[in-house]
Amino acid sequence: MTFTFEGARVFLADQIVETTVTVNNGEIAEIGGPVQGERVDAAGLILAPALIDVHGDAFERQLMPRPGVFFPTPAAVIDTDRQLASNGIATAYHAITLGWEPGLRDVARGRELMQAMQDLAPRLLVENRVQLRWETFAFEALDVIDWALKAPLTPSLAFNDHTSMTMRAYDVPIQERAFELSPDFSIASLDDERMKKRTASKAHRAGLSEDAYIKLLGEVWERRDQLPKVIAEVAAKAHTAGAPMLSHDDTRAETRSYFRNLGAKVAEFPMVIEAAEAARNNGDLIIFGSPNAARGGSHIGSLGAGDMVEAGLCDALASDYFYPAMLAAVARLDQEKRADRLKLWSLVSEGPARAMGLDDRGVIATGKRADLVLVDWPEGQAPAIRGTWVSGRAAYRGQPAG
């Protein structure tokens, strides 16, 4: 199928210009040529590379709309897919937690979700991929990781350690904890009443009593000495499969170095400047959360995404827990003049593509995959997606009432 966008201001790699863009057989065939095939009237709109989300877990609200209330997985996947399309996200890495907790984030539920995504793929509008959000203490997940690495669409693998985060000493702020595998890591007592307060929300999510959750946490913590060996084995398998690897919530240069040496060349949500600068100084790519940027700061007191963009310490913005945040983040950062508009848009398109090794998309250039969005962005107002194309196929078209 051949069609041409006409009348839009087009976000090219190095300029914003009103020109035509022709799509043929799912690829960008020509820029600046005559109208070919069907004409898409884009007057007054922006044509930009479609968004690429490298980490999003908002699908959990479709799986469990209320605490403890689960919906059928196929319905949740289909609704999530439609949300992605209407928010301009053509490629999404769903951050599926593979953890040791029962409930929403247990291993069996994660595998069921990935299987549903594969089964439903022909009916979905956008490219739904997976980030294996592996809790490194979850040895229960190893077989599922092996299975997932052989999926039709190669997943990414993110090393998470919320277990050590939970077990840090009570007087250590979350951003000041040491490298989790360091002998200097200070450990909290499970018998302290403060542990119940720290784990209450986790116990509720897992469907366990506070005492049962803490007992399970203690049993899992006994695995700590085995972690280096198991992490290295999983990293080697991911490398063999060609899966991009990320470390999550780094607080030390030592942490970033450890995971970089295992092949994880992406720092996801570094919490402190030491970790972010360690990533940049060693050529690693850096991801922050779009909600952080859209809200004007981190809700847990970590680094501000806007500040990191301005400092040149951010390569990509992820939806994290709210799909509309990606477009909202670009808008706020543009309003705050953190960078020029093309640079800001690259944070949700070309930057994520580089982080995931997707060299066929993320920019508007001939020969690239026609993953595109039409954006209505009146001066001084919030932007809105008017259309999303995935490999040249219309995944979403919106016609406002006015």
Side-chain angles (χ1 to χ4, degrees):
M1 181 180 178
T2 302
F3 59 94
T4 302
F5 296 95
E6 185 178 42
R9 287 179 295 133
V10 181
F11 282 15
L12 300 175
D14 58 353
Q15 62 178 323
I16 300 173
V17 61
E18 184 176 324
T19 189
T20 59
V21 175
T22 298
V23 173
N24 182 54
N25 292 329
E27 293 186 349
I28 298 169
E30 188 175 14
I31 299 170
V35 172
Q36 302 175 54
E38 179 186 350
R39 174 181 174 272
V40 179
D41 182 5
L45 302 176
I46 292 168
L47 182 67
L51 282 61
I52 300 171
D53 185 13
V54 296
H55 175 114
D57 61 26
F59 63 86
E60 291 184 342
R61 281 193 291 277
Q62 283 72 261
L63 286 172
M64 192 175 74
R66 289 186 176 179
V69 178
F70 290 94
F71 259 59
T73 300
V77 170
I78 290 170
D79 184 57
T80 297
D81 173 70
R82 271 54 179 177
Q83 289 190 36
L84 292 165
S86 64
N87 281 289
I89 300 170
T91 305
Y93 284 80
H94 299 290
I96 299 176
T97 299
L98 300 176
W100 49 263
E101 293 181 5
L104 178 64
R105 293 183 169 180
D106 76 356
V107 173
R109 196 173 297 279
R111 192 190 192 288
E112 178 189 352
L113 177 58
M114 287 186 272
Q115 185 64 61
M117 288 171 52
Q118 289 185 30
D119 294 344
L120 289 165
R123 298 178 56 200
L124 301 180
L125 301 179
V126 308
E127 187 170 289
N128 289 265
R129 288 175 171 257
V130 169
Q131 181 195 86
L132 300 171
R133 188 183 186 188
W134 178 45
E135 290 292 341
T136 53
F137 276 81
F139 297 177
E140 301 89 339
L142 298 180
D143 288 345
V144 173
I145 292 172
D146 288 345
W147 170 80
L149 288 172
K150 300 171 185 173
L153 293 176
T154 303
S156 63
L157 173 69
F159 297 96
N160 286 244
D161 187 358
H162 293 93
T163 307
S164 296
M165 202 179 293
T166 302
M167 288 295 296
R168 75 190 189 281
Y170 295 108
D171 61 346
V172 176
I174 196 168
Q175 292 85 5
E176 295 180 16
R177 70 189 191 281
F179 170 44
E180 287 81 357
L181 299 179
S182 167
D184 297 329
F185 188 85
S186 53
I187 302 170
S189 169
L190 289 169
D191 297 330
D192 194 300
E193 280 298 308
R194 288 174 290 182
M195 184 57 74
K196 288 187 176 181
K197 181 178 180 180
R198 180 176 282 184
T199 59
S201 64
K202 298 179 177 65
H204 183 63
R205 181 179 64 205
L208 297 175
S209 69
E210 293 176 354
D211 288 336
Y213 186 91
I214 291 172
K215 179 176 182 295
L216 179 59
L217 173 62
E219 293 170 356
V220 170
W221 186 246
E222 293 297 319
R223 303 171 180 175
R224 186 171 185 241
D225 289 344
Q226 303 173 60
L227 280 188
K229 177 177 181 292
V230 175
I231 290 172
E233 290 172 351
V234 171
K237 291 178 180 179
H239 177 74
T240 299
M245 288 184 276
L246 315 84
S247 60
H248 182 83
D249 285 350
D250 297 344
T251 57
R252 292 288 181 267
E254 183 182 3
T255 312
R256 182 83 285 276
S257 177
Y258 178 85
F259 285 105
R260 182 189 310 111
N261 290 338
L262 290 173
K265 301 299 179 66
V266 181
E268 179 179 78
F269 311 159
M271 287 186 150
V272 297
I273 196 68
E274 174 187 331
E277 289 181 340
R280 176 57 74 241
N281 292 340
N282 288 276
D284 302 331
L285 296 178
I286 304 169
I287 298 169
F288 282 98
S290 292
N292 180 328
R295 296 177 64 256
S298 166
H299 70 285
I300 59 171
S302 295
L303 294 172
D307 294 336
M308 295 301 98
V309 169
E310 191 168 350
L313 293 172
C314 177
D315 300 292
L317 292 170
S319 76
D320 197 0
Y321 54 85
F322 190 51
Y323 299 131
M326 295 183 75
L327 192 58
V330 172
R332 175 155 186 164
L333 297 175
D334 181 69
Q335 182 183 28
E336 294 176 347
K337 307 300 182 187
R338 298 285 193 163
D340 67 72
R341 192 169 282 192
L342 280 179
K343 172 59 180 176
L344 296 177
W345 197 270
S346 76
L347 298 175
V348 295
S349 55
E350 189 267 340
R354 280 195 297 128
M356 294 297 101
L358 302 173
D359 58 7
D360 63 339
R361 69 198 77 176
V363 295
I364 296 180
T366 55
K368 295 294 185 180
R369 201 168 99 161
D371 285 7
L372 303 164
V373 286
L374 277 178
V375 185
D376 177 23
W377 196 350
E379 187 68 30
Q381 299 185 44
I385 300 296
R386 288 281 295 274
T388 304
W389 285 260
V390 181
S391 291
R393 173 178 45 79
Y396 169 75
R397 295 295 302 271
Q399 184 62 45

